[in-house]
Amino acid sequence: MKQIEVSIMGQSYLLGCPDGGEPQLRQAVSHVDREMCAIRDAGKLKARERIAVLAALNLAYELASMPAPSATTTSAETPAQAGDNDVSSEYLDTLINRLDATLNDDGHLL
C-alpha cells in the first residue's frame, strides 16, 4: 500500500492507497473536496468538522439515492452499491473511522 498526498479544502492529507486504487481514490477526494467547498462557499458554516459531517451526509444520501444495481454486480462495488443493507451500515462505520483518522488534527466527525 502506498501513500498519496491530496488536498481537501486547501488542507493537505497523506492517505494510504491500495495498489491500483489511486485513480479511484483521487476521484473520491475530488468529489469530497467539491462537496465541502460548496458547503463552505455557501457561507453558512465555517467549522471544518461541521462542513465534513454535512458533506459526508450529502454524499451518503447521494449514494443511497442511486438506482439499485443490476443482478450483475461486481466485487469491486462497495457493499452499499451492491444493495446489502446489513453490510452498508458496517461499511459506513468503516468510512467514518477512516475520516476520523484522516481528520485527527481537526477532531472526530461524530
Side-chain angles (χ1 to χ4, degrees):
M1 181 179 292
K2 68 179 188 176
Q3 292 187 327
I4 62 169
E5 187 172 346
V6 300
S7 177
I8 300 174
M9 263 183 39
Q11 180 149 351
S12 292
Y13 296 94
L14 192 59
L15 304 177
C17 179
D19 293 335
E22 187 173 343
Q24 195 172 12
L25 180 58
R26 289 199 182 276
Q27 182 179 10
V29 166
S30 177
H31 199 147
V32 169
D33 183 53
R34 278 193 312 273
E35 188 70 29
M36 289 182 68
C37 287
I39 292 168
R40 179 200 60 205
D41 294 345
K44 295 183 179 180
L45 293 174
K46 299 293 180 203
R48 185 178 297 273
E49 296 88 5
R50 290 181 184 238
I51 291 171
V53 168
L54 285 179
L57 289 170
N58 288 343
L59 294 171
Y61 180 81
E62 184 180 303
L63 180 63
S65 298
M66 294 175 111
S70 67
T72 59
T73 57
T74 66
S75 61
E77 292 175 311
T78 65
Q81 289 171 323
D84 186 346
N85 289 332
D86 293 335
V87 179
S88 66
S89 176
E90 181 181 323
Y91 180 73
L92 289 174
D93 288 341
T94 301
L95 287 177
I96 288 171
N97 289 336
R98 287 178 65 193
L99 285 168
D100 282 342
T102 301
L103 297 172
N104 66 358
D105 293 335
D106 292 330
H108 290 287
L109 291 175
L110 302 175

